[in-house]
Amino acid sequence: MEFFHVIKDERAVVLEFESPVKYVSSAFYSDGVGEVKWVANIRVEKGWSHDDPWGYIEERLHELGLEPEDTLAFLTAADVEQAAMVQKGDVFAVATAGFGNAYCSKTKEHDLGGPGTVNVVVVVGRPLTTRSLVEALAWAVEAKCHGVLRIVLGNEGPCLGTTTDSVAVLCPQGDELDSFCGPATELGRRLMSAVEEAVVTAGERTGYSPTRSIKTILEEEGIELDDLVEAGRELFVSEWEEEYASRVLEELERGLENPNVALAVFTALLVDRFVRLGSYPKECGELQEDPGWIYFDEVLGQFVAMELGGYGALFNFKRYDEEKPGILKEVDERWVMLDDVLAGLIAGAMTVAFRPG
């Protein structure tokens, strides 16, 4: 598309248009609906706060050589030089992504991490009615959620964004106006595809690949392998020697490299997140309190234990599952499935690490 160009450096991503374009946006430095000549996604420091954010943005816009009254502006703590740009025909999307404060409906304020924002700008290369722009904005937001969901963020449930996400859709002015922009149209499908790809790519550039390791996903949940080693040590029946920790850690790492074990852990995490949201088959009854009639979690845990340590690991699994030492108790208080899978992981690793011969 030739009616705008992109300027990107460490300060901001700027879209400059040849003439004013129509927009709708949830960005706070905008009128929601109107016309602009520039769009600026401005980087701020992590933990940024300001008594006068509007005045601050105007200062930054002047530094960038932009006219505040003709600019729609976003703020982000993400690295704007890592912005992802995707074009699908006459749809262009650019996204920046930070997930420090990923949010779902069950997230508690004290569970929020550091600042993080997913900002998305979409340019449609043909004139749209205002209603179509609003429709395009709605589907752009939905596509943003699809992209974030693919990144598999936790925090009490499957997250679809952060607390500060903003989206804008812009189009040129003109007489030939499209009336529809939903996914039942070719234009809408391109829009959603471009936005989702941009969000996922931006996430990958900040270290959140949809296919990152299960060890990394556990660490994002606050579960370190050293904590699992310590839980294993607590039920060790003989004197614990310093060298044992590295032996068990090695078996844990080897175990998590097993694709079947990784998938079992991943399954437990996904089920737990949806259970937290209250979304699960009605045949299960009330799942959030881990009822006795549900033993699928124990089955998963036993599978992991046996996959790593064979039948001998089942004995250890029973001990770790019942007594829940160390981090297993913390996980049990938060999740339904994950504690049993981790008990199986510890049991299997301990069995192999201390198997005679």
Side-chain angles (χ1 to χ4, degrees), residues 294-309:
I294 296 295
Y295 52 82
F296 176 65
D297 45 348
E298 278 80 13
V299 171
L300 275 180
Q302 290 171 10
F303 164 78
V304 169
M306 291 189 65
E307 182 73 5
L308 299 187

Side-chain angles (χ1 to χ4, degrees), residues 61 80 138 196 216 230 244 270 303 338:
L61 292 176
V80 292
E196 182 174 339
T216 298
E230 177 60 22
Y244 292 170
L270 291 184
F303 164 78
L338 187 57

Side-chain angles (χ1 to χ4, degrees), residues 3 12 14 17 19-20 33 52 55 96 102-103 124 142 144 148 163 165 170 175 197 219 225 254 260 294 313 351:
F3 63 97
V14 176
F17 296 88
S19 58
V33 179
D52 180 14
T96 54
Y103 179 84
V124 178
E142 192 153 323
K144 183 268 302 184
V148 175
T163 59
D165 294 352
L170 306 97
D175 296 330
E197 183 177 330
E219 289 171 347
L225 293 193
R254 181 180 291 114
N260 291 293
I294 296 295
T351 302

Side-chain angles (χ1 to χ4, degrees), residues 115-131:
T117 299
V118 179
N119 287 336
V120 177
V121 179
V122 182
V123 181
V124 178
R126 63 180 76 170
L128 299 175
T129 64
T130 300
R131 190 212 66 81

Side-chain angles (χ1 to χ4, degrees), residues 7 22 63 80 93 111 113 165 201 243-244 269 297 309 346 356:
I7 306 164
K22 294 173 59 176
E63 291 173 5
V80 292
D111 289 330
D165 294 352
T201 302
E243 67 180 83
Y244 292 170
L269 277 168
D297 45 348
I346 295 170

Side-chain angles (χ1 to χ4, degrees), residues 101-297:
N101 57 345
Y103 179 84
C104 79
S105 62
K106 299 298 181 181
T107 302
K108 303 174 182 63
E109 184 176 354
H110 60 75
D111 289 330
L112 289 171
T117 299
V118 179
N119 287 336
V120 177
V121 179
V122 182
V123 181
V124 178
R126 63 180 76 170
L128 299 175
T129 64
T130 300
R131 190 212 66 81
S132 293
L133 268 175
V134 173
E135 182 182 29
L137 180 73
W139 288 111
V141 170
E142 192 153 323
K144 183 268 302 184
C145 293
H146 290 177
V148 175
L149 185 61
R150 285 175 55 188
I151 292 168
V152 195
L153 301 172
N155 203 337
E156 308 302 324
C159 293
L160 301 178
T162 80
T163 59
T164 51
D165 294 352
S166 293
V167 179
V169 179
L170 306 97
C171 71
Q173 303 187 66
D175 296 330
E176 297 180 6
L177 303 175
D178 272 85
S179 297
F180 298 100
C181 202
T185 69
E186 182 61 32
L187 178 62
R189 286 190 290 271
R190 287 199 297 270
L191 182 148
M192 293 195 71
S193 176
V195 170
E196 182 174 339
E197 183 177 330
V199 169
V200 171
T201 302
E204 290 177 326
R205 292 177 179 177
T206 55
Y208 287 89
S209 168
T211 56
R212 60 199 184 279
S213 72
I214 192 64
K215 177 183 174 183
T216 298
I217 294 174
L218 285 173
E219 289 171 347
E220 292 165 2
E221 296 288 346
I223 299 167
E224 304 281 346
L225 293 193
D226 287 342
D227 296 327
L228 301 184
V229 172
E230 177 60 22
R233 184 199 64 78
E234 288 191 29
L235 297 189
F236 190 66
V237 296
S238 185
E239 183 177 351
W240 183 266
E241 298 183 17
E242 186 175 343
E243 67 180 83
Y244 292 170
S246 59
R247 188 189 302 181
V248 176
L249 180 61
E250 181 179 343
E251 295 302 332
L252 287 170
E253 291 176 336
R254 181 180 291 114
L256 288 176
E257 290 174 357
N258 180 319
N260 291 293
V261 171
L263 194 57
V265 176
F266 191 64
T267 297
L269 277 168
L270 291 184
V271 171
D272 274 337
R273 289 173 184 173
F274 280 99
V275 166
R276 272 297 179 92
L277 292 181
S279 179
Y280 50 84
K282 69 176 183 179
E283 289 83 358
C284 297
E286 176 52 61
L287 264 184
Q288 296 190 6
E289 298 301 323
D290 195 6
W293 62 82
I294 296 295
Y295 52 82
F296 176 65
D297 45 348

